[in-house]
Amino acid sequence: MTAPRTPKIPYGGDYNPEQWPETVWDEDHRLFDRAGIDTLTVGVFSWSLTQPAEDTYDLTVLDRILDRAAAEGRRVCLATGTAALPPWLAKRHPEVNRTDFEGRRHRYGQRHNFCPSSPAYQKAATALASRLAERYAEHPALLGWHINNEYGGACYCDLCAAAFRTWLRARHGTLDALNDAWCTTFWSHRYTAFDEIEPPNALTEHWRGPDHTAFQGITLDYHRFTTDALLGCFLAEKDAIRAHDPDTPVTTNFMGMFRPLDYHRWAPHLDFASWDSYPPLDAPPTWPALAHDLMRGLKDGAPFWLMEQTPSTTACRDVNPLRRPGELRLATFQAIAHGADAALYFQMRASRGACEKYHGAVIGHAGRDDTRVFREVAGLGRELQLLGAATLGARTPARTALLFDWDSWWALEISDGPSRLVRYQEVVHAYYRAAREAGADVDVVPVTADLTPYAVVLAPVLHMVKGDLATRLEAVTERGGTVLTTFLSGRADEHDRAFLTDVPGPLAPLMGVRVDEWDARPQDVVQPIAMGGLRTEARLVFELVRSRGAEPVATYGADFYAGTPAVTRHPYGAGEAWYVATALDQPGVDWVVRRILTRHALLGPYAGHAGLETATRTAPDGKRLLFLLNHTPDPAHLTAHTSATDLLTGKRFEKGEPLTLDPLGTAVLHVQ
Ligand code: GLA
Ligand code: ZN
């Protein structure tokens, strides 16, 4: 199953009319018409209204919301609403509240904090999902199902401990296998019964917080268990929906690069992926782009929904800056350029009270349609109407893959040694950024993905190498492709046990190097690196590389290993394998990645224009779309590299003609 079929990009977002008297709803719908809003996500936080007591359901408000939407010609993404508990449930069944990392059983409050192993929660949530599906499966407004909201976090209660032990039996089979996987002979941990096993938290294996564990294997398995436990909640609701509604696509809103949950384990169970984009302050444009591509990679490149973004400002940060004029439009087209087939906001109307009253909304407290934000939202609504179905279902014809692996992320960041300063996302982003800024389309894929479509495979900080991955990477180079990996790759198996071979383990033959030692240094220790004509720097970790067939491309400039390789290239089969033994600064990463892309003629047509992003999508009818996104505050003066028509303006360009993009401007070129 794929995303819901629509005649154009669904446009709208989270809408909570139950917080308002119905007279306000009239005004909402009038304003929605003005802004081209056709899709509303409803019911995300209405459990205490729809089920005011254990044996009482009351769907009258939801009925009115959906009926009104249908009468107005709008579609609804209907949430099951199981992410925020009603007070009666927590009072009656205190075990639905989570026990935190410190071992404290929480009491009623907040949201997104139910215990995934609690039968009382599971029963109530699936019963509610079932009620809603029964009632609305045939409703004319229903477009898609939105289960729960932003699943995340972990629970350490006794119910979860018991569920963890059951999960461990299924995963490891026997205690011998488990003891072996976790290396329990270290520090006298050999388990003789499953019920001796405790969830890893501040009371057991951890000190100084969730990333400091005595046993990486145990903590990794708890991350996997938590992923699966929450997935179990999702699946139980999905099954309840499916019993009444076999057809309507089901999703849940993810959070992009969200460390706690391995979304690749969830991906097969979603009908379509969706996510909420709130980029960190001051993130470069490649940061949300990486998350978009990761989300697109969940379903083999199928389009996803942008389920939430703020039209103007967030509220949860210490300081919440505005999106500047034009930034919302640019971010929205960037999402579409990377595969979004819906553009939705949090939120349609600002809530009057509580912690999100300052959160940006399409309609503010004063209900005006002449604010800057409303005008920008409405302007975008008109453009999306104009775009119609042109981008729907379009795929990204990427020839570069970037491997993204939650296991490696977790293992790297819960490791004691070599350095706590190495952050998985930062290293992965540096390589992604280099490829994207060079104009290459990039698929961000799991390590299990089919690698045959790719000429280039980037596998930075691939701490764990699992299954037959090394062989599949070798196959990429054998047929002429290029594989890159970096420091702290090929270190451990799926249980985080070191390989009993030279580093980088199963990747060593492909890389043609051997690493015996590594030097981790504080942030301010810099290694000068000379690479071609480029003088750049490296930091954090310096692996000492001995060639076993690879040729040095760059060498360290200081310390006792001055003159030894920092970057190597190894001809392998008809292709090449690159090993980057240190955390190069961005210019160094750019240099390496551009060398690789050049070999495969994958540099984009505007790779020389800093701040200009390009992204390709191929529509189901074969139309090639090239998105141009100017991330700078200045106009971008380009020369059209091909003849094309801008779908947003209808303007045609012949090859060689000047093509100017406004500051923060966008063009969606239909390339002919
Ligand atoms: C998340 C949630 C929303 C809302 C927004 C605010 O994405 O899903 O309910 O809290 O954050 O930014
Ligand atoms: Zn629990």
Side-chain angles (χ1 to χ4, degrees):
M1 203 179 279
T2 56
R5 286 187 201 292
T6 54
K8 62 170 278 289
I9 290 175
Y11 188 53
D14 274 47
Y15 178 48
N16 308 300
E18 66 276 14
Q19 296 176 13
W20 299 92
E22 285 199 36
T23 46
V24 175
W25 303 11
D26 298 337
E27 190 55 9
D28 290 337
H29 282 280
R30 186 183 73 78
L31 296 173
F32 294 161
D33 280 340
R34 296 206 59 168
I37 300 297
D38 48 38
T39 304
L40 304 169
T41 303
V42 307
V44 182
F45 298 112
S46 53
W47 194 348
S48 65
L49 278 186
T50 50
Q51 192 181 4
E54 188 141 36
D55 45 12
T56 314
Y57 291 91
D58 179 358
L59 300 183
T60 48
V61 177
L62 266 187
D63 279 353
R64 283 209 286 278
I65 294 171
L66 270 88
D67 290 351
R68 181 67 189 265
E72 300 276 352
R74 275 177 260 282
R75 306 297 301 275
V76 160
C77 180
L78 182 55
T80 57
T82 52
L85 304 174
W88 61 259
L89 180 59
K91 185 78 186 165
R92 181 135 186 194
H93 303 280
E95 73 279 11
V96 300
N97 299 310
R98 270 185 202 169
T99 295
D100 68 17
F101 183 76
E102 276 74 35
R104 301 173 304 178
R105 158 81 67 201
H106 282 219
R107 298 170 68 92
Y108 182 70
Q110 301 188 47
R111 63 168 183 177
H112 299 169
N113 54 7
F114 53 88
C115 164
S117 309
S118 139
Y121 171 75
Q122 290 164 353
K123 185 164 166 253
T126 50
L128 178 58
S130 173
R131 285 278 171 147
L132 296 173
E134 185 180 20
R135 180 84 147 211
Y136 300 115
E138 303 297 328
H139 199 283
L142 184 69
L143 182 60
W145 286 102
H146 175 301
I147 292 181
N148 204 277
N149 194 66
E150 294 192 336
Y151 281 104
C155 178
Y156 299 88
C157 74
D158 291 344
L159 290 167
C160 284
F164 182 44
R165 292 174 196 128
T166 305
W167 185 94
L168 289 170
R169 269 180 216 274
R171 170 160 172 76
H172 295 282
T174 64
L175 278 173
D176 278 350
L178 174 143
N179 280 313
D180 192 35
W182 288 356
C183 295
T184 54
T185 312
F186 176 78
W187 286 2
S188 180
H189 267 48
R190 289 198 71 82
Y191 293 99
T192 54
F194 275 94
D195 64 9
E196 294 161 1
I197 297 167
E198 299 283 355
N201 66 9
L203 300 180
T204 61
E205 299 298 350
H206 282 253
W207 72 95
R208 282 179 57 194
D211 286 354
H212 291 72
T213 174
F215 281 83
Q216 278 67 23
I218 304 180
T219 299
L220 279 170
D221 270 348
Y222 209 70
H223 288 331
R224 294 170 178 137
F225 158 74
T226 295
T227 295
D228 289 356
L230 288 168
L231 173 59
C233 295
F234 170 85
L235 287 175
E237 287 195 39
K238 188 176 179 191
D239 286 348
I241 291 171
R242 281 286 170 257
H244 299 285
D245 179 352
D247 305 318
T248 309
V250 173
T251 192
T252 182
N253 49 339
F254 283 165
M255 289 175 274
M257 288 185 283
F258 178 63
R259 199 182 78 161
L261 297 188
D262 179 349
Y263 288 150
H264 288 137
R265 291 169 91 96
W266 285 59
H269 307 287
L270 308 169
D271 295 332
F272 64 107
S274 66
W275 83 286
D276 303 343
S277 179
Y278 297 96
L281 300 180
D282 300 326
T286 41
W287 193 274
L290 168 53
H292 288 313
D293 286 353
L294 176 66
M295 297 294 98
R296 191 184 71 242
L298 292 177
K299 301 294 289 178
D300 282 331
F304 57 90
W305 274 23
L306 178 61
M307 189 63 91
E308 293 180 23
Q309 67 169 331
T310 177
S312 56
T313 171
T314 52
C316 61
R317 294 165 175 164
D318 285 356
V319 175
N320 298 276
L322 279 176
R323 290 188 133 167
R324 307 349 251 179
E327 287 185 355
L328 169 65
R329 175 176 183 270
L330 183 60
T332 306
F333 278 110
Q334 186 192 36
I336 297 168
H338 285 266
D341 266 6
L344 305 171
Y345 297 112
F346 184 88
Q347 53 192 335
M348 301 313 301
R349 183 181 277 272
S351 50
R352 180 159 191 200
C355 62
E356 289 181 348
K357 71 174 179 301
Y358 281 124
H359 197 287
V362 173
I363 306 169
H365 294 135
R368 303 194 71 94
D369 61 5
D370 59 356
T371 62
R372 176 186 69 88
V373 171
F374 189 89
R375 275 200 299 269
E376 289 197 28
V377 167
L380 198 45
R382 279 190 292 278
E383 288 189 291
L384 296 182
Q385 256 150 15
L386 206 66
L387 211 48
T391 60
L392 294 180
R395 315 276 294 201
T396 302
R399 303 210 51 234
T400 302
L402 179 119
L403 302 188
F404 193 101
D405 184 39
W406 262 270
D407 276 333
S408 288
W409 187 357
W410 293 334
L412 190 80
E413 295 189 357
I414 63 173
S415 178
D416 263 26
S419 173
R420 294 272 175 192
L421 300 179
V422 177
R423 307 306 293 177
Y424 182 77
Q425 288 180 96
E426 284 170 16
V427 183
V428 167
H429 173 255
Y431 284 85
Y432 174 84
R433 177 179 192 164
R436 291 292 303 132
E437 292 187 347
D441 291 301
V442 178
D443 280 348
V444 179
V445 298
V447 292
T448 50
D450 174 13
L451 300 178
T452 53
Y454 304 111
V456 174
V457 178
L458 304 173
V461 273
L462 189 67
H463 197 74
M464 266 186 197
V465 175
K466 297 170 282 187
D468 64 350
L469 179 60
T471 314
R472 288 185 298 111
L473 290 171
E474 286 169 7
V476 172
T477 53
E478 267 154 17
R479 62 175 165 73
T482 302
V483 173
L484 172 147
T485 193
T486 70
F487 62 102
L488 293 179
S489 295
R491 295 302 188 115
D493 69 6
E494 63 172 306
H495 305 297
D496 202 44
R497 296 177 303 196
F499 292 115
L500 302 178
T501 58
D502 291 330
V503 169
L507 304 177
L510 173 59
M511 292 298 143
V513 298
R514 163 181 154 192
V515 176
D516 297 348
E517 299 181 81
W518 39 91
D519 189 20
R521 305 302 303 279
Q523 183 76 41
D524 57 356
V525 174
V526 169
Q527 265 284 351
I529 306 277
M531 225 165 18
L534 179 75
R535 306 212 146 268
T536 187
E537 295 179 336
R539 285 178 172 76
L540 304 187
V541 173
F542 311 108
E543 290 182 344
L544 277 59
V545 173
R546 297 167 63 162
S547 171
R548 293 173 76 200
E551 59 184 55
V553 175
T555 49
Y556 294 118
D559 220 312
F560 77 93
Y561 40 89
T564 69
V567 179
T568 61
R569 193 181 67 104
H570 186 221
Y572 192 99
E576 296 181 350
W578 286 67
Y579 192 75
V580 182
T582 181
L584 292 175
D585 280 1
Q586 192 67 45
V589 175
D590 291 345
W591 188 92
V592 168
V593 170
R594 283 186 185 231
R595 270 278 302 265
I596 292 171
L597 294 174
T598 304
R599 175 168 181 267
H600 296 278
L602 289 175
L603 286 189
Y606 305 109
H609 283 263
L612 183 84
E613 181 181 0
T614 58
T616 320
R617 292 184 75 184
T618 309
D621 61 5
K623 272 203 188 102
R624 226 172 97 85
L625 305 173
L626 180 67
F627 289 76
L628 303 180
L629 305 151
N630 178 12
H631 291 284
T632 75
D634 307 307
H637 299 288
L638 312 173
T639 304
H641 74 293
T642 175
S643 301
T645 306
D646 183 354
L647 297 180
L648 297 177
T649 59
K651 197 168 164 207
R652 188 175 162 81
F653 303 90
E654 299 305 330
K655 182 175 173 170
E657 283 183 2
L659 192 171
T660 300
L661 292 173
D662 291 339
L664 304 182
T666 298
V668 183
L669 300 183
H670 170 206
V671 177
Q672 285 128 328

